[in-house]
Amino acid sequence: MILSDPAITVALCTAAYLAGSVLFALPVCRLWGLPDPRAQGSGNPGATNVYRAGGWQPAMVTLALDAAKGWLPVWLAHNAGLSGLVQAMVALFAVTGHMIPAFYRFKGGKGVATALGAGLALAPATTLAMATLWLLVLWRWRISALASVIAIISGPVISAFIEPENLPMFGLLAILIVVRHRNNLIRLAQGREIGL
């Protein structure tokens, strides 16, 4: 296991950020002939608004592609023999790319699907537990933002018990994604958040 290789680390972090900067909701909606997802629901270019615009099929394609752009850079970092710390850095760069994309004037999405993919590559047990919780909350209340916030807040707690070496990454992801959901949280408190 390589603790640090500066050239590879910089290259992978850069690649992860650029991959994260591709907002797949936009080409998917164009392919399906759907309106811009940024004009739907919460205005977020993600799978939930694609679902609102066109149903489950384009939404699942968007989810899979947004997750893949988080998974692939972390998988590459792992297979390059880089340390868990570097893999976590790569994961955070991918999620940050989705949130602050270089290709869309730094106005992106919430990062949940990208975090899912990165988490599956780095900490699959914790991530699958979080995904299960997300599904349960979504099934019960039908509000994607609520499911996302509860699942991501649970990440550090779950990680502390089953994959403690990844606790710092899940803690940082929780902060990033909860902050990104601040408007959703305000609408939730006011009873105005849009459901599915």
Side-chain angles (χ1 to χ4, degrees), residues 130-156:
M130 292 166 63
T132 301
L133 181 58
W134 183 89
L135 286 169
L136 289 171
V137 175
L138 186 67
W139 173 77
R140 173 62 180 83
W141 283 284
R142 305 287 293 175
I143 299 175
S144 179
L146 178 64
S148 296
V149 169
I150 289 176
I152 200 65
I153 288 174
S154 76

Side-chain angles (χ1 to χ4, degrees), residues 2-175:
I2 301 171
L3 292 178
S4 65
D5 183 319
I8 296 176
T9 299
V10 170
L12 282 173
C13 286
T14 302
Y17 172 75
L18 293 175
S21 292
V22 179
L23 303 180
F24 283 107
L26 305 183
V28 166
C29 281
R30 283 195 293 271
L31 183 63
W32 259 266
L34 301 172
D36 191 321
R38 294 170 294 186
Q40 306 294 314
S42 64
N44 180 51
T48 299
N49 278 341
V50 174
Y51 169 77
R52 291 180 178 124
W56 282 110
Q57 190 174 8
M60 291 305 294
V61 171
T62 302
L63 176 66
L65 290 171
D66 279 347
K69 72 186 184 185
W71 176 85
L72 181 59
V74 178
W75 181 83
L76 290 171
H78 176 77
N79 279 274
L82 299 178
S83 68
L85 175 61
V86 172
Q87 292 176 50
M89 287 172 56
V90 170
L92 290 168
F93 269 88
V95 174
T96 302
H98 184 84
M99 292 178 172
I100 312 170
F103 307 135
Y104 301 95
R105 299 181 180 179
F106 306 105
K107 295 180 180 179
K110 304 292 174 61
V112 176
T114 308
L116 169 67
L120 286 172
L122 184 60
T126 298
T127 305
L128 287 172
M130 292 166 63
T132 301
L133 181 58
W134 183 89
L135 286 169
L136 289 171
V137 175
L138 186 67
W139 173 77
R140 173 62 180 83
W141 283 284
R142 305 287 293 175
I143 299 175
S144 179
L146 178 64
S148 296
V149 169
I150 289 176
I152 200 65
I153 288 174
S154 76
V157 178
I158 296 170
S159 178
F161 283 98
I162 61 177
E163 291 172 315
E165 67 276 13
N166 294 305
L167 176 57
M169 183 195 72
F170 283 107
L172 287 171
L173 282 176
I175 293 168

